[in-house]
Amino acid sequence: MHWMMGPFLIPIVAIIGAFTYAIVQSMHKARVRELEIRERIAMIEKGLVPPPEVDPRGFDRAMSRYDHVQWTTSAGRHRRAGITLLGVGVGLMVLIGFSGSPDEGFAVGGFLCVLGIAFLVNSMFELRHQPPTPPANGPAS
C-alpha cells in the first residue's frame, strides 16, 4: 500500500513547497517595505526630506504613466464591460433557448444584454477629459 503513495506524494510536496515559497517571498517583501517606511519616517523625524524614490526621474515617469492611464481608461473600461456583458447575454439566450426553454433563455440572457447596453450608454456619456500636460523636464537653471 505504501508503494502507491509515491506517485501522489511528489505533486503534493511540490504544491505545498510552491505555496510555502510564495508566502515566504511575500513576507520578505513586506518586511523590506516596512523597513523602507521606517527609514523614511526616521528621516522625516530628523527634519530631512526623503526623496520620492531612489530614481526621481523614474518616479516622474511612473506618475505620468499613472496620470495618463487614470484619465484615458474609464470610458474604455465601461465599453469593454458592456461588450462582454452583451456577449454573455446573447450566449446565455442561445444556450438556454436551445435547451428547451426559450422564454427563460430570453429572460436571463436579456437581463445581461440590458446590463451590457447600460454599460455601453454609460461609456458614451463619460466625459472625455484631456490628460493634464506633463511638466517640462528641462534643466531648471
Side-chain angles (χ1 to χ4, degrees), residues 57-98:
R57 288 188 182 142
F59 179 76
D60 291 338
R61 284 192 306 269
M63 289 308 294
S64 68
R65 278 195 309 264
Y66 174 75
D67 288 340
H68 179 70
V69 168
Q70 179 182 359
W71 283 96
T72 58
T73 60
S74 59
R77 187 175 301 137
H78 287 115
R79 194 169 25 259
R80 286 188 299 272
I83 291 170
T84 302
L85 280 173
L86 278 171
V88 169
V90 170
L92 278 175
M93 274 197 261
V94 170
L95 179 72
I96 297 173
F98 282 135

mmCIF file of all heavy atoms in Angstrom, residues 57-98:
data_model
loop_
_atom_site.group_PDB
_atom_site.id
_atom_site.type_symbol
_atom_site.label_atom_id
_atom_site.label_comp_id
_atom_site.label_asym_id
_atom_site.label_seq_id
_atom_site.Cartn_x
_atom_site.Cartn_y
_atom_site.Cartn_z
ATOM 1 N N ARG A 57 13.680 60.569 -11.525
ATOM 2 C CA ARG A 57 13.143 60.621 -12.893
ATOM 3 C C ARG A 57 12.247 59.416 -13.167
ATOM 4 O O ARG A 57 11.238 59.525 -13.845
ATOM 5 C CB ARG A 57 14.273 60.691 -13.903
ATOM 6 C CG ARG A 57 14.951 62.037 -13.887
ATOM 7 C CD ARG A 57 15.937 62.161 -15.024
ATOM 8 N NE ARG A 57 16.600 63.445 -14.941
ATOM 9 C CZ ARG A 57 17.862 63.638 -15.205
ATOM 10 N NH1 ARG A 57 18.616 62.626 -15.589
ATOM 11 N NH2 ARG A 57 18.391 64.832 -15.100
ATOM 12 N N GLY A 58 12.620 58.271 -12.623
ATOM 13 C CA GLY A 58 11.766 57.085 -12.755
ATOM 14 C C GLY A 58 10.437 57.300 -12.061
ATOM 15 O O GLY A 58 9.386 56.869 -12.543
ATOM 16 N N PHE A 59 10.480 57.967 -10.913
ATOM 17 C CA PHE A 59 9.238 58.291 -10.203
ATOM 18 C C PHE A 59 8.363 59.205 -11.050
ATOM 19 O O PHE A 59 7.155 58.986 -11.167
ATOM 20 C CB PHE A 59 9.579 58.951 -8.867
ATOM 21 C CG PHE A 59 8.381 59.349 -8.072
ATOM 22 C CD1 PHE A 59 7.641 58.395 -7.395
ATOM 23 C CD2 PHE A 59 8.000 60.677 -7.994
ATOM 24 C CE1 PHE A 59 6.538 58.758 -6.659
ATOM 25 C CE2 PHE A 59 6.897 61.045 -7.256
ATOM 26 C CZ PHE A 59 6.157 60.092 -6.588
ATOM 27 N N ASP A 60 8.960 60.221 -11.661
ATOM 28 C CA ASP A 60 8.191 61.132 -12.513
ATOM 29 C C ASP A 60 7.596 60.405 -13.710
ATOM 30 O O ASP A 60 6.447 60.642 -14.085
ATOM 31 C CB ASP A 60 9.063 62.292 -12.994
ATOM 32 C CG ASP A 60 9.427 63.241 -11.864
ATOM 33 O OD1 ASP A 60 8.698 63.258 -10.846
ATOM 34 O OD2 ASP A 60 10.443 63.952 -12.004
ATOM 35 N N ARG A 61 8.369 59.508 -14.320
ATOM 36 C CA ARG A 61 7.846 58.735 -15.456
ATOM 37 C C ARG A 61 6.676 57.860 -15.025
ATOM 38 O O ARG A 61 5.660 57.781 -15.718
ATOM 39 C CB ARG A 61 8.948 57.881 -16.065
ATOM 40 C CG ARG A 61 9.928 58.637 -16.921
ATOM 41 C CD ARG A 61 10.822 57.686 -17.715
ATOM 42 N NE ARG A 61 11.501 56.704 -16.885
ATOM 43 C CZ ARG A 61 12.701 56.859 -16.338
ATOM 44 N NH1 ARG A 61 13.370 57.988 -16.550
ATOM 45 N NH2 ARG A 61 13.248 55.921 -15.604
ATOM 46 N N ALA A 62 6.814 57.204 -13.881
ATOM 47 C CA ALA A 62 5.743 56.337 -13.396
ATOM 48 C C ALA A 62 4.492 57.144 -13.091
ATOM 49 O O ALA A 62 3.375 56.719 -13.398
ATOM 50 C CB ALA A 62 6.203 55.573 -12.158
ATOM 51 N N MET A 63 4.661 58.306 -12.502
ATOM 52 C CA MET A 63 3.496 59.133 -12.184
ATOM 53 C C MET A 63 2.823 59.651 -13.444
ATOM 54 O O MET A 63 1.597 59.735 -13.508
ATOM 55 C CB MET A 63 3.902 60.298 -11.269
ATOM 56 C CG MET A 63 4.253 59.861 -9.863
ATOM 57 S SD MET A 63 3.000 58.836 -9.060
ATOM 58 C CE MET A 63 1.667 59.995 -8.913
ATOM 59 N N SER A 64 3.602 60.000 -14.469
ATOM 60 C CA SER A 64 2.984 60.472 -15.704
ATOM 61 C C SER A 64 2.229 59.346 -16.392
ATOM 62 O O SER A 64 1.163 59.556 -16.952
ATOM 63 C CB SER A 64 4.020 61.087 -16.637
ATOM 64 O OG SER A 64 4.906 60.090 -17.119
ATOM 65 N N ARG A 65 2.787 58.115 -16.340
ATOM 66 C CA ARG A 65 2.047 56.976 -16.888
ATOM 67 C C ARG A 65 0.763 56.745 -16.117
ATOM 68 O O ARG A 65 -0.285 56.484 -16.689
ATOM 69 C CB ARG A 65 2.912 55.711 -16.844
ATOM 70 C CG ARG A 65 3.870 55.580 -17.984
ATOM 71 C CD ARG A 65 4.409 54.165 -18.078
ATOM 72 N NE ARG A 65 4.935 53.652 -16.834
ATOM 73 C CZ ARG A 65 6.214 53.665 -16.475
ATOM 74 N NH1 ARG A 65 7.108 54.178 -17.299
ATOM 75 N NH2 ARG A 65 6.594 53.163 -15.331
ATOM 76 N N TYR A 66 0.823 56.860 -14.798
ATOM 77 C CA TYR A 66 -0.364 56.671 -13.971
ATOM 78 C C TYR A 66 -1.417 57.722 -14.300
ATOM 79 O O TYR A 66 -2.588 57.409 -14.428
ATOM 80 C CB TYR A 66 0.009 56.732 -12.490
ATOM 81 C CG TYR A 66 -1.188 56.682 -11.583
ATOM 82 C CD1 TYR A 66 -1.869 55.488 -11.379
ATOM 83 C CD2 TYR A 66 -1.661 57.824 -10.950
ATOM 84 C CE1 TYR A 66 -2.976 55.436 -10.569
ATOM 85 C CE2 TYR A 66 -2.763 57.781 -10.137
ATOM 86 C CZ TYR A 66 -3.422 56.587 -9.943
ATOM 87 O OH TYR A 66 -4.523 56.541 -9.144
ATOM 88 N N ASP A 67 -1.002 58.982 -14.430
ATOM 89 C CA ASP A 67 -1.947 60.044 -14.763
ATOM 90 C C ASP A 67 -2.580 59.790 -16.120
ATOM 91 O O ASP A 67 -3.777 59.989 -16.302
ATOM 92 C CB ASP A 67 -1.255 61.408 -14.761
ATOM 93 C CG ASP A 67 -0.908 61.877 -13.360
ATOM 94 O OD1 ASP A 67 -1.521 61.360 -12.403
ATOM 95 O OD2 ASP A 67 -0.013 62.727 -13.235
ATOM 96 N N HIS A 68 -1.781 59.333 -17.085
ATOM 97 C CA HIS A 68 -2.312 59.070 -18.416
ATOM 98 C C HIS A 68 -3.336 57.948 -18.367
ATOM 99 O O HIS A 68 -4.412 58.050 -18.946
ATOM 100 C CB HIS A 68 -1.180 58.716 -19.376
ATOM 101 C CG HIS A 68 -1.650 58.401 -20.759
ATOM 102 N ND1 HIS A 68 -2.155 59.368 -21.594
ATOM 103 C CD2 HIS A 68 -1.722 57.237 -21.437
ATOM 104 C CE1 HIS A 68 -2.504 58.805 -22.729
ATOM 105 N NE2 HIS A 68 -2.253 57.517 -22.659
ATOM 106 N N VAL A 69 -3.030 56.870 -17.666
ATOM 107 C CA VAL A 69 -3.957 55.742 -17.566
ATOM 108 C C VAL A 69 -5.211 56.153 -16.828
ATOM 109 O O VAL A 69 -6.325 55.805 -17.205
ATOM 110 C CB VAL A 69 -3.267 54.547 -16.861
ATOM 111 C CG1 VAL A 69 -4.261 53.486 -16.483
ATOM 112 C CG2 VAL A 69 -2.192 53.973 -17.748
ATOM 113 N N GLN A 70 -5.065 56.940 -15.770
ATOM 114 C CA GLN A 70 -6.201 57.361 -14.980
ATOM 115 C C GLN A 70 -7.170 58.194 -15.811
ATOM 116 O O GLN A 70 -8.374 58.077 -15.665
ATOM 117 C CB GLN A 70 -5.708 58.161 -13.782
ATOM 118 C CG GLN A 70 -6.816 58.676 -12.887
ATOM 119 C CD GLN A 70 -6.272 59.514 -11.747
ATOM 120 O OE1 GLN A 70 -5.074 59.693 -11.632
ATOM 121 N NE2 GLN A 70 -7.142 60.031 -10.930
ATOM 122 N N TRP A 71 -6.650 59.005 -16.701
ATOM 123 C CA TRP A 71 -7.506 59.910 -17.456
ATOM 124 C C TRP A 71 -8.091 59.283 -18.711
ATOM 125 O O TRP A 71 -9.031 59.813 -19.279
ATOM 126 C CB TRP A 71 -6.722 61.156 -17.852
ATOM 127 C CG TRP A 71 -6.542 62.103 -16.725
ATOM 128 C CD1 TRP A 71 -5.460 62.191 -15.905
ATOM 129 C CD2 TRP A 71 -7.462 63.081 -16.270
ATOM 130 N NE1 TRP A 71 -5.650 63.172 -14.973
ATOM 131 C CE2 TRP A 71 -6.880 63.735 -15.176
ATOM 132 C CE3 TRP A 71 -8.726 63.474 -16.675
ATOM 133 C CZ2 TRP A 71 -7.518 64.748 -14.497
ATOM 134 C CZ3 TRP A 71 -9.351 64.492 -15.988
ATOM 135 C CH2 TRP A 71 -8.752 65.111 -14.914
ATOM 136 N N THR A 72 -7.562 58.200 -19.191
ATOM 137 C CA THR A 72 -7.997 57.733 -20.507
ATOM 138 C C THR A 72 -8.743 56.406 -20.496
ATOM 139 O O THR A 72 -9.224 56.000 -21.537
ATOM 140 C CB THR A 72 -6.780 57.582 -21.439
ATOM 141 O OG1 THR A 72 -5.870 56.663 -20.844
ATOM 142 C CG2 THR A 72 -6.111 58.903 -21.682
ATOM 143 N N THR A 73 -8.864 55.707 -19.381
ATOM 144 C CA THR A 73 -9.422 54.362 -19.466
ATOM 145 C C THR A 73 -10.827 54.207 -18.922
ATOM 146 O O THR A 73 -11.397 53.142 -19.057
ATOM 147 C CB THR A 73 -8.524 53.369 -18.723
ATOM 148 O OG1 THR A 73 -8.446 53.758 -17.371
ATOM 149 C CG2 THR A 73 -7.160 53.279 -19.345
ATOM 150 N N SER A 74 -11.431 55.208 -18.316
ATOM 151 C CA SER A 74 -12.733 54.976 -17.703
ATOM 152 C C SER A 74 -13.815 54.713 -18.744
ATOM 153 O O SER A 74 -14.632 53.803 -18.569
ATOM 154 C CB SER A 74 -13.116 56.139 -16.795
ATOM 155 O OG SER A 74 -13.153 57.339 -17.539
ATOM 156 N N ALA A 75 -13.852 55.459 -19.836
ATOM 157 C CA ALA A 75 -14.859 55.207 -20.870
ATOM 158 C C ALA A 75 -14.591 53.872 -21.554
ATOM 159 O O ALA A 75 -15.515 53.103 -21.824
ATOM 160 C CB ALA A 75 -14.855 56.336 -21.892
ATOM 161 N N GLY A 76 -13.326 53.582 -21.824
ATOM 162 C CA GLY A 76 -12.992 52.309 -22.453
ATOM 163 C C GLY A 76 -13.330 51.130 -21.567
ATOM 164 O O GLY A 76 -13.741 50.071 -22.047
ATOM 165 N N ARG A 77 -13.170 51.299 -20.262
ATOM 166 C CA ARG A 77 -13.498 50.217 -19.329
ATOM 167 C C ARG A 77 -14.999 49.912 -19.373
ATOM 168 O O ARG A 77 -15.409 48.758 -19.408
ATOM 169 C CB ARG A 77 -13.078 50.618 -17.918
ATOM 170 C CG ARG A 77 -13.208 49.514 -16.918
ATOM 171 C CD ARG A 77 -12.665 49.910 -15.568
ATOM 172 N NE ARG A 77 -11.266 50.274 -15.665
ATOM 173 C CZ ARG A 77 -10.719 51.309 -15.056
ATOM 174 N NH1 ARG A 77 -11.456 52.090 -14.303
ATOM 175 N NH2 ARG A 77 -9.442 51.562 -15.183
ATOM 176 N N HIS A 78 -15.832 50.961 -19.411
ATOM 177 C CA HIS A 78 -17.277 50.736 -19.496
ATOM 178 C C HIS A 78 -17.651 50.110 -20.832
ATOM 179 O O HIS A 78 -18.531 49.245 -20.909
ATOM 180 C CB HIS A 78 -18.027 52.062 -19.306
ATOM 181 C CG HIS A 78 -18.013 52.545 -17.898
ATOM 182 N ND1 HIS A 78 -17.380 53.705 -17.537
ATOM 183 C CD2 HIS A 78 -18.521 52.027 -16.758
ATOM 184 C CE1 HIS A 78 -17.515 53.894 -16.245
ATOM 185 N NE2 HIS A 78 -18.195 52.877 -15.741
ATOM 186 N N ARG A 79 -16.996 50.534 -21.887
ATOM 187 C CA ARG A 79 -17.284 49.983 -23.212
ATOM 188 C C ARG A 79 -16.931 48.500 -23.265
ATOM 189 O O ARG A 79 -17.709 47.680 -23.752
ATOM 190 C CB ARG A 79 -16.520 50.775 -24.274
ATOM 191 C CG ARG A 79 -16.972 50.538 -25.670
ATOM 192 C CD ARG A 79 -16.395 51.511 -26.689
ATOM 193 N NE ARG A 79 -15.132 52.136 -26.365
ATOM 194 C CZ ARG A 79 -15.005 53.378 -25.906
ATOM 195 N NH1 ARG A 79 -16.070 54.123 -25.704
ATOM 196 N NH2 ARG A 79 -13.811 53.888 -25.650
ATOM 197 N N ARG A 80 -15.757 48.131 -22.732
ATOM 198 C CA ARG A 80 -15.365 46.715 -22.718
ATOM 199 C C ARG A 80 -16.311 45.882 -21.865
ATOM 200 O O ARG A 80 -16.680 44.768 -22.237
ATOM 201 C CB ARG A 80 -13.931 46.581 -22.212
ATOM 202 C CG ARG A 80 -12.893 47.016 -23.214
ATOM 203 C CD ARG A 80 -11.493 46.681 -22.754
ATOM 204 N NE ARG A 80 -11.122 47.338 -21.511
ATOM 205 C CZ ARG A 80 -10.572 48.543 -21.437
ATOM 206 N NH1 ARG A 80 -10.331 49.217 -22.549
ATOM 207 N NH2 ARG A 80 -10.249 49.074 -20.283
ATOM 208 N N ALA A 81 -16.720 46.417 -20.720
ATOM 209 C CA ALA A 81 -17.652 45.682 -19.869
ATOM 210 C C ALA A 81 -18.988 45.503 -20.565
ATOM 211 O O ALA A 81 -19.614 44.427 -20.480
ATOM 212 C CB ALA A 81 -17.844 46.415 -18.539
ATOM 213 N N GLY A 82 -19.446 46.526 -21.275
ATOM 214 C CA GLY A 82 -20.716 46.426 -21.994
ATOM 215 C C GLY A 82 -20.672 45.392 -23.097
ATOM 216 O O GLY A 82 -21.600 44.585 -23.249
ATOM 217 N N ILE A 83 -19.600 45.375 -23.857
ATOM 218 C CA ILE A 83 -19.480 44.393 -24.943
ATOM 219 C C ILE A 83 -19.396 42.977 -24.367
ATOM 220 O O ILE A 83 -20.013 42.048 -24.884
ATOM 221 C CB ILE A 83 -18.260 44.728 -25.825
ATOM 222 C CG1 ILE A 83 -18.528 46.030 -26.596
ATOM 223 C CG2 ILE A 83 -17.941 43.591 -26.783
ATOM 224 C CD1 ILE A 83 -17.327 46.591 -27.308
ATOM 225 N N THR A 84 -18.664 42.815 -23.283
ATOM 226 C CA THR A 84 -18.562 41.492 -22.660
ATOM 227 C C THR A 84 -19.912 41.027 -22.150
ATOM 228 O O THR A 84 -20.302 39.868 -22.360
ATOM 229 C CB THR A 84 -17.540 41.537 -21.503
ATOM 230 O OG1 THR A 84 -16.280 41.953 -22.018
ATOM 231 C CG2 THR A 84 -17.405 40.186 -20.841
ATOM 232 N N LEU A 85 -20.651 41.915 -21.479
ATOM 233 C CA LEU A 85 -21.965 41.523 -20.966
ATOM 234 C C LEU A 85 -22.946 41.222 -22.102
ATOM 235 O O LEU A 85 -23.777 40.318 -21.984
ATOM 236 C CB LEU A 85 -22.529 42.605 -20.058
ATOM 237 C CG LEU A 85 -21.977 42.614 -18.640
ATOM 238 C CD1 LEU A 85 -22.476 43.818 -17.880
ATOM 239 C CD2 LEU A 85 -22.366 41.342 -17.918
ATOM 240 N N LEU A 86 -22.854 41.965 -23.187
ATOM 241 C CA LEU A 86 -23.714 41.652 -24.341
ATOM 242 C C LEU A 86 -23.402 40.256 -24.887
ATOM 243 O O LEU A 86 -24.308 39.483 -25.194
ATOM 244 C CB LEU A 86 -23.527 42.697 -25.443
ATOM 245 C CG LEU A 86 -24.318 43.984 -25.274
ATOM 246 C CD1 LEU A 86 -23.884 45.008 -26.307
ATOM 247 C CD2 LEU A 86 -25.792 43.715 -25.384
ATOM 248 N N GLY A 87 -22.125 39.934 -24.996
ATOM 249 C CA GLY A 87 -21.746 38.618 -25.480
ATOM 250 C C GLY A 87 -22.216 37.506 -24.552
ATOM 251 O O GLY A 87 -22.738 36.478 -25.000
ATOM 252 N N VAL A 88 -22.060 37.693 -23.254
ATOM 253 C CA VAL A 88 -22.507 36.677 -22.299
ATOM 254 C C VAL A 88 -24.030 36.548 -22.349
ATOM 255 O O VAL A 88 -24.577 35.431 -22.298
ATOM 256 C CB VAL A 88 -22.021 37.023 -20.867
ATOM 257 C CG1 VAL A 88 -22.680 36.140 -19.829
ATOM 258 C CG2 VAL A 88 -20.515 36.909 -20.785
ATOM 259 N N GLY A 89 -24.722 37.670 -22.450
ATOM 260 C CA GLY A 89 -26.185 37.626 -22.504
ATOM 261 C C GLY A 89 -26.698 36.900 -23.732
ATOM 262 O O GLY A 89 -27.597 36.048 -23.640
ATOM 263 N N VAL A 90 -26.139 37.209 -24.903
ATOM 264 C CA VAL A 90 -26.568 36.520 -26.133
ATOM 265 C C VAL A 90 -26.219 35.035 -26.044
ATOM 266 O O VAL A 90 -27.010 34.170 -26.437
ATOM 267 C CB VAL A 90 -25.925 37.187 -27.374
ATOM 268 C CG1 VAL A 90 -26.145 36.352 -28.619
ATOM 269 C CG2 VAL A 90 -26.491 38.580 -27.567
ATOM 270 N N GLY A 91 -25.041 34.731 -25.499
ATOM 271 C CA GLY A 91 -24.663 33.330 -25.333
ATOM 272 C C GLY A 91 -25.622 32.580 -24.426
ATOM 273 O O GLY A 91 -26.001 31.434 -24.711
ATOM 274 N N LEU A 92 -26.022 33.197 -23.339
ATOM 275 C CA LEU A 92 -26.983 32.538 -22.440
ATOM 276 C C LEU A 92 -28.352 32.385 -23.106
ATOM 277 O O LEU A 92 -29.030 31.379 -22.894
ATOM 278 C CB LEU A 92 -27.116 33.319 -21.139
ATOM 279 C CG LEU A 92 -26.044 33.044 -20.095
ATOM 280 C CD1 LEU A 92 -26.205 33.969 -18.904
ATOM 281 C CD2 LEU A 92 -26.110 31.605 -19.633
ATOM 282 N N MET A 93 -28.763 33.387 -23.900
ATOM 283 C CA MET A 93 -30.035 33.260 -24.607
ATOM 284 C C MET A 93 -30.013 32.055 -25.534
ATOM 285 O O MET A 93 -30.953 31.262 -25.573
ATOM 286 C CB MET A 93 -30.323 34.527 -25.419
ATOM 287 C CG MET A 93 -30.997 35.613 -24.649
ATOM 288 S SD MET A 93 -31.722 36.837 -25.729
ATOM 289 C CE MET A 93 -30.476 38.094 -25.690
ATOM 290 N N VAL A 94 -28.920 31.900 -26.271
ATOM 291 C CA VAL A 94 -28.806 30.778 -27.204
ATOM 292 C C VAL A 94 -28.714 29.462 -26.439
ATOM 293 O O VAL A 94 -29.408 28.491 -26.756
ATOM 294 C CB VAL A 94 -27.576 30.969 -28.120
ATOM 295 C CG1 VAL A 94 -27.292 29.727 -28.926
ATOM 296 C CG2 VAL A 94 -27.798 32.159 -29.043
ATOM 297 N N LEU A 95 -27.890 29.410 -25.405
ATOM 298 C CA LEU A 95 -27.692 28.183 -24.647
ATOM 299 C C LEU A 95 -28.979 27.712 -23.977
ATOM 300 O O LEU A 95 -29.391 26.558 -24.140
ATOM 301 C CB LEU A 95 -26.603 28.392 -23.583
ATOM 302 C CG LEU A 95 -26.309 27.189 -22.691
ATOM 303 C CD1 LEU A 95 -25.569 26.134 -23.490
ATOM 304 C CD2 LEU A 95 -25.494 27.613 -21.495
ATOM 305 N N ILE A 96 -29.624 28.595 -23.250
ATOM 306 C CA ILE A 96 -30.844 28.196 -22.546
ATOM 307 C C ILE A 96 -31.989 28.031 -23.540
ATOM 308 O O ILE A 96 -32.860 27.172 -23.365
ATOM 309 C CB ILE A 96 -31.188 29.222 -21.442
ATOM 310 C CG1 ILE A 96 -30.078 29.240 -20.390
ATOM 311 C CG2 ILE A 96 -32.503 28.883 -20.772
ATOM 312 C CD1 ILE A 96 -30.218 30.326 -19.345
ATOM 313 N N GLY A 97 -32.000 28.833 -24.596
ATOM 314 C CA GLY A 97 -33.065 28.710 -25.596
ATOM 315 C C GLY A 97 -33.039 27.373 -26.313
ATOM 316 O O GLY A 97 -34.088 26.762 -26.563
ATOM 317 N N PHE A 98 -31.845 26.854 -26.651
ATOM 318 C CA PHE A 98 -31.754 25.564 -27.326
ATOM 319 C C PHE A 98 -31.928 24.389 -26.379
ATOM 320 O O PHE A 98 -32.118 23.267 -26.817
ATOM 321 C CB PHE A 98 -30.418 25.421 -28.058
ATOM 322 C CG PHE A 98 -30.381 26.169 -29.351
ATOM 323 C CD1 PHE A 98 -29.279 26.933 -29.688
ATOM 324 C CD2 PHE A 98 -31.447 26.136 -30.240
ATOM 325 C CE1 PHE A 98 -29.228 27.629 -30.876
ATOM 326 C CE2 PHE A 98 -31.412 26.834 -31.427
ATOM 327 C CZ PHE A 98 -30.305 27.585 -31.754
#
